[in-house]
Amino acid sequence: MPSRLHAVYARLVPRIRRAGEMTGDEPAERARVEAWHRTLDRSLPTSAVPRFARHWSVVTEEVAGFPVYVLTPRRRAPTRTVFYVHGGGFMAPISAWQVRYAVRLADAIGARVVMPDYPLAPEHSWRDSFGPITDLAARWAAEPGGIVLGGDSSGGGFALAVGLALRDRGGPQSTHLVLHAPWVDLTTSTPETDAYDEVDPWLFKGKMRTYAQWWAGSPDDLGRPEVSPGLGDLSGLPPALMLYGTRDLLAPGCRLLVRRAAAAGWDLTAVETPGLIHVYPLLPYLPEARVAFEQTVEFLR
């Protein structure tokens, strides 16, 4: 049974994130999001990380016109890299929660963090960042210790798509994949999606389909493995851990990934937790998140 704190988060997080279904048509939503983008401070948000500057140094690289943050622990030399792709429906920037999670994980396994701040939809599609981010991941995968390729929500799907591309290139791959409620099927072909729309307090079907169209850029690209990696060839991928709850609109896609992984012979460990909301492992102080974190660290060790 979900904890009391989880029940609080299930009420408050959607309010804090101003979650809600689209109130107008696609052009109105596009105008709203583009106007919001013009107000954004795109610097790395570190407010959720206690004494961040004392423990981490940040170098900002520019890749194909967008920033990539390299976070290195000050007090010990990293032995590997967490290459973390942030979620947010492909239209929201890096959040403080995502930075907090990435550095906690990196600290637990003796790693640095590489976090690309990729261009957002609707102004941009996958074509504007996928190749450069895959090149970047390949470069870090060749470094000592390799990379743990991870992400949450849309970032989890992006990370999986990069994993597929690295496999197809035949060079260095990630050592592991860590996926938190990844968005892996932007076609929303799983029939259970409508039912989950009724129980998820945070994600909404209309927005999901609109944002998927923006990220794909073209209806013909929705099913491509770079956009919907859950529909691609999953054979030959590194071991992976996927964690998700059942009050999540993306749960049907996660279950689809489990079925397709089994058919492909991919070593995917899936942890489905009843009653929990979207990307619950990233929520601060949540008992269920603490369990998920311990499971993740054990998997990576």
Side-chain angles (χ1 to χ4, degrees):
M1 182 176 179
S3 66
R4 291 182 179 179
L5 183 56
H6 178 274
V8 172
Y9 273 128
R11 292 194 304 271
L12 291 184
V13 168
R15 294 179 187 176
I16 293 171
R17 304 292 287 184
R18 298 182 179 178
E21 186 54 283
M22 289 171 51
T23 57
D25 56 12
E26 186 276 334
E29 181 68 6
R30 178 182 292 264
R32 183 190 73 82
V33 172
E34 289 179 346
W36 174 54
H37 284 175
R38 290 192 290 271
T39 71
L40 291 177
D41 174 6
R42 293 294 293 272
S43 58
L44 184 69
T46 61
S47 60
V49 185
R51 298 178 293 279
F52 177 85
R54 180 184 301 180
H55 297 292
W56 297 89
S57 66
V58 181
V59 173
T60 304
E61 301 180 4
E62 185 171 302
V63 175
F66 59 87
V68 174
Y69 301 107
V70 180
L71 288 61
T72 304
R74 294 186 182 277
R75 298 186 179 182
R76 62 179 177 182
T79 58
R80 59 204 299 199
T81 299
V82 171
F83 193 101
Y84 196 87
V85 188
H86 75 88
F90 300 113
M91 48 69 70
I94 299 170
S95 76
W97 289 355
Q98 289 157 339
V99 176
R100 175 185 178 272
Y101 177 81
V103 297
R104 284 187 68 231
L105 182 60
D107 185 56
I109 65 172
R112 69 176 63 79
V113 176
V114 175
M115 184 174 284
D117 189 7
Y118 54 86
L120 302 175
E123 297 92 335
H124 300 273
S125 76
W126 69 275
R127 292 183 179 273
D128 297 316
S129 58
F130 186 80
I133 287 180
T134 301
D135 292 341
L136 183 69
R139 172 160 65 87
W140 281 103
E143 293 293 320
I147 61 171
V148 173
L149 187 53
D152 61 278
S153 193
S154 56
F158 200 153
L160 177 57
V162 169
L164 294 178
L166 292 178
R167 178 206 59 196
D168 291 345
R169 289 185 178 196
Q173 299 189 49
S174 60
T175 62
H176 303 76
L177 286 159
V178 174
L179 310 173
H180 294 293
W183 192 8
V184 297
D185 176 15
L186 273 64
T187 71
T188 59
S189 59
T190 46
E192 310 99 301
T193 300
D194 288 349
Y196 278 81
D197 189 43
E198 299 297 322
V199 299
D200 188 329
W202 188 351
L203 306 183
F204 297 86
K205 183 177 63 177
K207 279 186 175 178
M208 183 173 76
R209 290 177 173 164
T210 297
Y211 298 167
Q213 292 167 6
W214 290 350
W215 186 245
S218 163
D220 293 338
D221 283 0
L222 273 172
R224 292 181 63 110
E226 299 94 336
V227 177
S228 293
L231 305 181
D233 175 12
L234 301 176
S235 62
L237 289 171
L241 175 66
M242 177 172 67
L243 303 103
Y244 64 98
T246 61
R247 286 186 70 187
D248 188 341
L249 189 58
L250 300 187
C254 293
R255 289 174 173 171
L256 172 68
L257 192 68
V258 171
R259 295 192 296 270
R260 289 182 53 78
W266 174 30
D267 181 9
L268 170 65
T269 300
V271 179
E272 178 183 286
T273 308
L276 299 192
I277 62 173
H278 186 55
V279 296
Y280 72 89
L282 275 66
L283 300 179
Y285 314 115
L286 187 67
E288 293 90 344
R290 187 161 51 247
V291 172
F293 188 79
E294 292 169 355
Q295 292 170 323
T296 303
V297 171
E298 182 61 28
F299 170 72
L300 294 176
R301 284 177 178 160

